[in-house]
Amino acid sequence: MKFTPLTSPAADSDGLADEYKSAREIGLVRLGDRQLYFKKGLRVYYVPYEDIGRLFRRVVSVPARLCCGKGELNMEHLVVCGKDERELAQIQLPDTRAARALMEQLRTVAPQAEFGRPVQI
């Protein structure tokens, strides 16, 4: 498993594997002591909590054909932005309940981050 930083590399890169294994897992996201981790393919990406500027949920409606007709599926994503308001990652979450639980946990570990989508002008 290769650890890839999205912002600044961790000072203690040897402890990343241990922190990743002991982190709380919600869907593809893991909440460590100092970093937010998510896995994509064979890589594990991480962002230190102090480098996060904004966090919000993005719900994408996907049209679907079901056995009884047409409908829409709502896909929940966690969007992580850096301090410069640039989007760093969009991470798919299993469902609405997991998304809400993850946001509550992130409020405690990253209190400096703003929560909610940016205001559109």
Side-chain angles (χ1 to χ4, degrees):
M1 201 170 0
K2 181 170 168 85
F3 290 95
T4 306
L6 290 178
T7 56
S8 58
D12 180 23
S13 60
D14 296 333
L16 287 176
D18 294 332
E19 184 179 357
Y20 179 74
K21 288 177 186 175
S22 66
R24 180 164 187 240
E25 183 176 3
I26 300 175
L28 297 175
V29 178
R30 289 188 183 220
L31 300 173
D33 295 332
R34 296 181 308 249
Q35 274 92 231
L36 170 84
Y37 299 93
F38 67 96
K39 189 172 183 179
K40 185 163 184 160
L42 297 175
R43 291 182 182 244
V44 175
Y45 296 93
Y46 67 92
V47 180
Y49 293 131
E50 61 265 6
D51 290 348
I52 296 174
R54 181 180 298 275
L55 293 161
F56 62 95
R57 289 172 38 204
R58 179 175 286 157
V59 180
V60 179
S61 294
V62 179
R65 286 188 173 172
L66 306 171
C67 62
C68 55
K70 294 182 180 179
E72 289 185 347
L73 298 174
N74 290 330
M75 306 289 291
E76 294 272 346
H77 294 87
L78 171 70
V79 180
V80 180
C81 298
K83 292 192 177 194
D84 58 353
E85 295 292 324
R86 183 177 54 98
E87 285 188 18
L88 299 175
Q90 178 174 312
I91 309 159
Q92 185 175 344
L93 299 172
D95 57 7
T96 303
R97 187 176 56 131
R100 288 184 179 147
L102 178 62
M103 291 301 280
E104 288 302 316
Q105 290 292 318
L106 286 169
R107 286 184 198 278
T108 61
V109 295
Q112 83 287 352
E114 293 183 36
F115 288 84
R117 68 180 181 87
V119 177
Q120 301 292 329
I121 298 176

